[in-house]
Amino acid sequence: MSVLDDIVAGVRLDLAVREARTPLAGVRAALADAPPPRDPMPHLRAAGSSVIAEVKRRSPSKGDLAAIPDPASLAGEYAAGGAAAISVLTEERRFGGSLADLVAVRAAVDVPLLRKDFIVEGYQLVEARAAGADLALLIVAALDDDTLRRLHDQARELGLTVLVEVHDEPETERAVALGAELIGVNARNLKTLAVDADTFGRLAPLVPADRVLVAESGIGDETDVKRFVAEGARAVLVGEALVKDGAPREAVARMTGVTA
């Protein structure tokens, strides 16, 4: 079993508990109180680098990163630094996140929010929208073609912008064929956790110019941002470097607006 398979198995167990506690109809009812979805694409298409700043306590590869007792406060620092969007990890077993983090961040900031999780069922998309998310992550490696398309369509129907994540050439071809507008290239292989800094540069030429590319993983500072912008990135998704930085507002500001 790969690392990704193990994570998804845990996600499905936790999802079953939530579904038993709150049936889909109950989650859908909460949509009435959710704020209208915010569109991140104009900012992400703008000149210069955009930053998707991540609230991330730990990871399978690095272990504990930061306690983050107040995710809303951290998100406020990100927003003040000019983050185009804020990613909130909601997977609990491996990443220490929760939907409560997303709700808290939504109450604190007005920028678009990404629910970062291993989404395998439509229930999770409804949860995301009800909690105030504006974007949702779909990981191509975790989904077959039929499920990927079904979830992509459902997310769009809910008003969510979809970040479709890829790791290799076949996955990139699948994302392009899907019509994904926002494609994230993750340098970390979720099946092995190995990082290849050349992944973005290798896959970017496979994506049509009218799509928006996001570089993910292995981004430590503005020098890394400049490299990925030169290779075609419009945005960077940064977690570890920001949660470990003593001045996240300033770190986001330094990574924002970088040109090739």
Side-chain angles (χ1 to χ4, degrees):
M1 178 181 287
S2 72
V3 175
L4 178 60
D5 291 335
D6 185 55
I7 292 173
V8 170
V11 165
R12 288 190 179 279
L13 290 173
D14 294 339
L15 174 58
V17 172
R18 297 199 305 278
E19 286 181 303
R21 184 172 60 237
T22 308
L24 180 59
V27 183
R28 283 196 174 278
L31 290 175
D33 297 323
R38 296 157 176 79
D39 183 4
M41 295 308 293
H43 197 155
L44 295 179
R45 288 188 179 278
S49 58
S50 292
V51 176
I52 303 173
E54 192 156 83
V55 177
K56 181 178 185 179
R57 291 189 177 88
R58 64 175 182 260
S59 74
S61 61
K62 297 292 184 69
D64 292 337
L65 300 174
I68 313 181
D70 187 353
S73 177
L74 177 60
E77 289 295 295
Y78 288 162
I86 295 172
S87 169
V88 182
L89 265 157
T90 59
E91 196 279 333
E92 183 173 2
R93 292 178 182 236
R94 295 297 192 99
F95 293 88
S98 70
L99 278 167
D101 289 342
L102 181 59
V103 171
V105 171
R106 175 75 293 156
V109 301
D110 196 42
V111 300
L113 299 185
L114 165 68
R115 181 186 185 180
K116 183 88 174 289
D117 210 319
F118 297 80
I119 294 174
V120 292
E121 297 291 345
Y123 184 97
Q124 294 164 283
L125 295 171
V126 182
E127 282 183 320
R129 187 77 277 280
D134 309 289
L135 303 93
L137 178 73
L138 294 180
I139 301 172
V140 174
L143 304 166
D144 61 44
D145 279 340
D146 289 344
T147 305
L148 177 61
R149 185 165 294 280
R150 173 173 57 81
L151 293 176
H152 184 267
D153 291 347
Q154 183 175 350
R156 297 293 298 275
E157 290 168 4
L158 288 165
L160 290 161
T161 299
V162 186
L163 174 59
V164 179
E165 182 176 288
V166 303
H167 305 83
D168 59 24
E169 286 81 357
E171 292 175 16
T172 304
E173 292 169 2
R174 290 173 63 197
V176 170
L178 179 69
E181 182 181 15
L182 185 63
I183 297 176
V185 176
N186 196 341
R188 186 179 303 281
N189 184 326
L190 292 180
K191 297 180 179 179
T192 66
L193 299 184
V195 174
D196 179 358
D198 295 328
T199 300
F200 187 92
R202 190 176 74 248
L203 301 184
L206 304 179
V207 178
D210 62 338
R211 317 295 176 90
V212 174
L213 280 169
V214 181
E216 304 177 29
S217 294
I219 300 163
D221 56 27
E222 54 269 34
T223 301
D224 297 324
V225 176
K226 189 176 185 67
R227 171 188 174 176
F228 289 122
V229 169
E231 292 176 342
R234 277 293 190 190
V236 291
L237 194 156
V238 189
E240 178 183 347
L242 295 180
V243 300
K244 294 173 74 172
D245 192 295
R249 179 190 307 200
E250 290 76 7
V252 169
R254 288 194 301 270
M255 295 182 186
T256 298
V258 175
T259 57

